Amino acid sequence: MSPPSLLSVRDLAVHFPVGRRGLLGRPARWLKAVDGVSFDLERGKSLGLVGESGCGKSTTARAIVGLQRATAGSVQLDGVDLTRLDRRAWLPHRRRVQMIFQDPYASLDPRQTVGSILAEPLAIHGLARRRERRLRAMALLEAVGLNPRHVARYPHEFSGGQRQRIGIARALALEPELLVCDEPVSALDVSIQAQIINLLEQLRQRFGLAYLFIAHDLAVVRHLCERVAVMYLGRVVEVAERDRIFSSPRHPYTRALLSAVPVADPQRERERRRTVLRGDVPSPLDPPAGCPFHPRCPERERVADDACEARVPPLGPCGGAPEHHTACHLEAGLE
């Protein structure tokens, strides 16, 4: 029997109103940024959430940490549904779930010293006195590979990679159990990306952290994550162990993503088969009926009836592996 999940997301939806109509100002349309996302994350484990830009990854992350209100569904942390909590009730849970943001330049207050940035979460939660907060800030800087004597410096005095280390230190200040990492290396140089990835892996092992790692770089996810969930147009279309996703992808969209990853061997690069998708990603303002991927799917002709256009495929087991789930009518046996 598998241990209970630290984080359990079920049918999460985040819809944004677009335009107004009538005297009551009701929304004219709804933009379905996230539309029924479900996954689990165990303690001390790492899950990669991947997909094209605009598929809803970051919105999912913001809804999980409470920065964006969910339209429907649940986000349970140890059985407590965070989507039903008000601001006061959320406070004790914020210590357990922290976020690392994508942009190390925009996520740090330029008017505060690094010491103040790292001490602020401790002050808000009343965890230490002033002098103790400064010592804790110095220890956090040392934990992420920075000079602890630089607590009096301002963010503009650090490089991009150093600023992201400060962002990681701030996320660690409250000793969380779960870190939500929203593309934490995408804004950095390639050489710095490797350093930050290695740092995150070291911190996970040292502190027993669980990671929800959001990225569009599959190579990064393959290095850092044990499970991978693939998103398309606001939905999870496949989730499995990392090795199964990369060796035996079952959803046509996952296969297309993997075929676009460059291969270092020139001979293999020339010989491998590419999957080229037709058309553009549909607008979340007007998603297609049925399977959201069917207008671009290169394999839809294999389905005998109109299931792809008529019904949204559920996320269910496939390929004989109980932990490998995909949302595809082909895998459901409708061939």
Side-chain angles (χ1 to χ4, degrees):
M1 183 176 179
S2 60
S5 300
L6 172 64
L7 177 70
S8 181
V9 178
R10 288 291 177 271
D11 299 319
L12 180 66
V14 181
H15 299 170
F16 297 100
V18 178
R20 298 287 177 180
R21 64 184 176 188
L23 296 175
L24 299 179
R26 293 175 179 172
R29 292 189 295 172
W30 291 91
L31 188 151
K32 298 179 179 180
V34 178
D35 195 26
V37 165
S38 299
F39 58 81
D40 294 296
L41 178 58
E42 297 178 9
R43 284 176 175 80
K45 301 296 184 179
S46 55
L47 173 70
L49 197 59
V50 303
E52 295 173 278
S53 296
C55 71
K57 305 186 299 295
S58 294
T59 304
T60 299
R62 292 176 66 85
I64 288 171
V65 300
L67 295 177
Q68 177 64 54
R69 183 177 293 276
T71 305
S74 65
V75 177
Q76 294 191 6
L77 186 70
D78 270 342
V80 177
D81 189 354
L82 302 179
T83 64
R84 298 183 180 275
L85 303 181
D86 58 23
R87 187 171 182 176
R88 183 180 295 274
W90 236 109
L91 191 61
H93 298 285
R94 290 200 184 279
R95 290 187 56 184
R96 304 177 63 195
V97 183
Q98 290 290 300
M99 188 167 181
I100 301 171
F101 296 92
Q102 177 179 2
D103 188 350
Y105 295 90
S107 62
L108 302 177
D109 188 341
R111 299 167 297 179
Q112 289 185 288
T113 65
V114 169
S116 297
I117 290 171
L118 299 182
E120 186 174 30
L122 300 172
I124 291 173
H125 288 266
L127 298 181
R129 297 181 178 181
R130 185 183 296 273
R131 177 171 174 77
E132 294 171 339
R133 293 199 294 264
R134 180 178 175 84
L135 293 176
R136 175 63 176 160
M138 295 175 70
L140 287 167
L141 286 178
E142 189 171 14
V144 297
L146 295 177
N147 192 329
R149 291 179 294 179
H150 292 167
V151 289
R153 293 188 177 186
Y154 288 85
H156 74 268
E157 300 180 70
F158 295 88
S159 67
Q162 290 173 328
R163 293 188 202 190
Q164 194 59 292
R165 289 175 185 264
I166 295 168
I168 294 171
R170 178 178 59 185
L172 293 174
L174 297 176
E175 301 181 356
E177 299 172 56
L178 168 64
L179 282 186
V180 179
C181 309
D182 186 12
E183 303 201 38
V185 299
S186 63
L188 305 176
D189 294 338
V190 175
S191 59
I192 306 301
Q193 287 183 10
Q195 297 176 18
I196 298 299
I197 292 168
N198 290 334
L199 172 64
L200 289 170
E201 181 59 30
Q202 293 165 12
L203 293 172
R204 187 169 75 92
Q205 295 178 6
R206 177 179 174 183
F207 298 112
L209 298 166
Y211 284 164
L212 175 61
F213 196 91
I214 294 166
H216 60 264
D217 189 334
L218 293 174
V220 172
V221 171
R222 188 170 194 172
H223 178 80
L224 195 63
C225 300
E226 295 157 317
R227 287 178 61 80
V228 180
V230 182
M231 284 189 70
Y232 181 82
L233 205 62
R235 292 178 175 271
V236 172
V237 296
E238 186 164 8
V239 59
E241 298 295 327
R242 171 190 59 202
D243 293 339
R244 285 194 62 87
I245 281 282
F246 283 90
S247 64
S248 304
R250 305 304 295 259
H251 196 280
Y253 177 65
T254 307
R255 289 196 282 267
L257 277 183
L258 293 175
S259 77
V261 177
V263 176
D265 186 340
Q267 181 66 26
R268 287 181 55 200
E269 177 69 18
R270 286 192 296 267
E271 293 176 353
R272 71 179 183 143
R273 180 184 176 185
R274 289 287 184 91
T275 301
V276 180
L277 300 180
R278 301 171 293 187
D280 299 320
V281 180
S283 170
L285 274 172
D286 187 24
C291 174
F293 187 60
H294 87 260
R296 306 178 69 199
C297 182
E299 301 181 29
R300 57 180 292 196
E301 292 82 4
R302 291 173 53 197
V303 181
D305 58 19
D306 61 351
C308 294
E309 299 180 25
R311 300 188 296 276
V312 177
L315 188 67
C318 69
E323 297 300 321
H324 192 160
H325 291 70
T326 189
C328 181
H329 289 303
L330 280 171
E331 297 299 330
L334 300 176
E335 301 187 29

